[in-house]
Amino acid sequence: MTLLPNIHGVCPPRFAAVKDAFAANFTDAPEGLNEQAARFSVCVGGETVVDLWAGWADAARTVPYGARTLTPVFSTGKAVMALLIATCVERGLLDYERPVASYWPAFGQAGKAVITVGQMMSHQAGLPGFSETVDPAIWFDREAVLERLCAQAPMWPPGTASGYHPITIGFLAGELFRLVDGRSMGAALREDFAAPFGLDLWIGLPEAEHGRVAALRKPASAPDLGTIDAIKTSAFLDKGSAPGGRGSTEWRTMEMPSANLHGTALDLARIMGVLANGGALEGRTVLSPGVRAEMLRERIHGRDKVVPFDVSWAAGLMRNEGLHIFGPNPTAVGHCGWGGSCAFADADAGVSGAYVMTRQSPYLVGDPRAQRLIGALYGGL
């Protein structure tokens, strides 16, 4: 048994089971994944109803994990990336059904001319990684990454299957956003969401904020990818499939919308409220009903070529049909991140939420700690 740290935040009596589940993740977590620090936040109808945090922000357990502690959430940030692309559709700058190459001609090389924005965002473009081994330092050179991806042929016929793009989708979506909007995704997140709504979310974290970042404990084992082939190797296992060689400071500072968002669980839950509450955030319309519907509709459903699951993909989000990890309602959507974090939105229940933690697990989706919390949450709704 692990000693239970002090639990902070808010949790009304109707959600007492959530607090119990949160505590249990520190003392008797499934698979022995006892927390070092974690936060679970939930909004209903745009109002915060649960916001719990506990633990230590540093490995030495001397700095308490607090309300302003930032946590790297890796691929959970893809939910924010998808929302930023949807805002371009809302403004008429993008159309999910038009080819990416109509906005970005260089992308149309090597058999990619007809790949649509919706297909790219739903991981159907066939570019989950580099087809040739690269130095992991390439990820710190945006232009070099984009040049390679534009010249590269798809690894399967685009539109015929999904194959999760762990990192490349952030460069692809980020460049498409920059071309039509004129700003980087990190700048747009700050200007359009963080500043006006007080959201502590960052794609590209200024060095002055690095002292607020919690230390992570890496998984004890690698994730189960199923049968390994060239596609999965390019996405996850090649020596150049993930950034390396520059250190955590440069990694945090660069903008990688698919992998290096830093933030709080509360503000992830708040921004996901756009999708849970009819496209509005704190009374301001972000997405119209039509654009929201286009963003969230199923683009493809089947066995993914990279992650070993049957996935129903929306335009940048996992749909709950098939996976059943974001509560009981099939129309819920969300995304998971390396190590166990997740963010989700359920319009049927008007619920949005997020879970972040510092002790990482090998689960690609559906970390049992998050599942325990989400299950308890729906029991109180």
Side-chain angles (χ1 to χ4, degrees), residues 10 18-19 46 87 103 134 138 141 160 168 192 194 204 231 234 262 267 281-282 291 319 376:
V10 296
V18 176
K19 190 170 184 179
T87 65
Y103 307 101
V134 298
I138 191 176
D141 184 344
T160 63
T168 55
D192 298 347
I231 292 174
S234 73
H262 291 67
D267 292 326
L281 179 59
E282 296 183 359
V291 170
R319 303 174 77 250

Side-chain angles (χ1 to χ4, degrees), residues 107-119:
F107 179 82
Q109 301 175 61
K112 303 191 297 297
V114 299
I115 296 171
T116 67
V117 174
Q119 287 173 329

Side-chain angles (χ1 to χ4, degrees), residues 21-338:
F22 189 76
N25 279 345
F26 284 86
T27 58
D28 60 345
E31 308 285 337
L33 292 170
N34 302 93
E35 306 278 25
Q36 176 173 301
R39 190 171 185 178
F40 183 58
S41 305
V42 179
C43 299
V44 177
E47 299 295 324
T48 303
V49 295
V50 174
D51 185 24
L52 297 171
W53 66 89
W56 303 98
D58 64 330
R61 298 179 178 246
T62 60
V63 179
Y65 189 100
R68 294 189 69 252
T69 301
L70 298 174
T71 306
V73 299
F74 301 98
S75 289
T76 295
K78 288 182 173 73
V80 176
M81 179 187 75
L83 179 59
L84 289 169
I85 287 291
T87 65
C88 289
V89 178
E90 180 67 33
R91 290 175 286 154
L93 302 176
L94 289 175
D95 184 327
Y96 285 123
E97 308 312 317
R98 283 188 60 184
V100 175
S102 66
Y103 307 101
W104 181 9
F107 179 82
Q109 301 175 61
K112 303 191 297 297
V114 299
I115 296 171
T116 67
V117 174
Q119 287 173 329
M120 185 186 81
M121 292 302 298
S122 54
H123 302 272
Q124 299 183 65
L127 301 170
F130 295 118
S131 55
E132 298 178 356
T133 299
V134 298
D135 187 315
I138 191 176
W139 297 104
F140 297 92
D141 184 344
R142 184 179 65 88
E143 292 298 331
V145 170
L146 295 174
E147 183 178 354
R148 275 186 173 267
L149 291 177
C150 284
Q152 184 171 305
M155 294 184 184
W156 64 87
T160 63
S162 70
Y164 180 54
H165 294 38
I167 297 179
T168 55
I169 188 62
F171 286 84
L172 298 172
E175 179 65 3
L176 183 60
F177 185 95
R178 187 191 68 81
L179 288 170
V180 300
D181 178 275
R183 299 172 294 173
S184 70
M185 279 191 166
L189 178 60
R190 292 191 301 272
E191 294 167 10
D192 298 347
F193 290 96
F197 296 102
L199 301 181
D200 202 359
L201 301 173
W202 307 80
I203 297 173
L205 184 68
E207 195 166 351
E209 306 290 342
H210 289 192
R212 295 199 287 136
V213 178
L216 301 182
R217 182 175 174 181
K218 291 183 178 181
S221 60
D224 179 7
L225 296 172
T227 303
I228 302 303
D229 58 15
I231 292 174
K232 293 182 181 184
T233 298
S234 73
F236 279 119
L237 302 175
D238 203 338
K239 74 172 187 177
S241 62
R246 297 294 180 89
S248 62
T249 296
E250 190 164 352
W251 178 79
R252 288 174 181 165
T253 305
M254 71 182 295
E255 290 194 20
M256 190 182 296
S258 52
N260 79 338
L261 185 140
H262 291 67
T264 68
L266 177 59
D267 292 326
L268 281 169
R270 290 173 63 200
I271 200 169
M272 291 298 285
V274 172
L275 304 178
N277 300 299
L281 179 59
E282 296 183 359
R284 300 189 218 177
T285 298
V286 176
L287 300 179
S288 61
V291 170
R292 180 183 168 280
E294 275 299 291
M295 178 192 183
L296 301 184
R297 75 171 176 84
E298 183 173 274
R299 300 274 164 178
I300 193 165
H301 189 175
R303 193 69 172 182
D304 193 88
K305 286 185 171 293
V306 173
V307 292
F309 309 109
D310 289 333
V311 185
S312 172
W313 285 106
L317 291 164
M318 295 175 173
R319 303 174 77 250
N320 211 25
E321 291 185 55
L323 291 173
H324 306 296
I325 57 174
F326 303 123
N329 295 326
T331 57
V333 295
H335 216 291
C336 301
W338 180 49

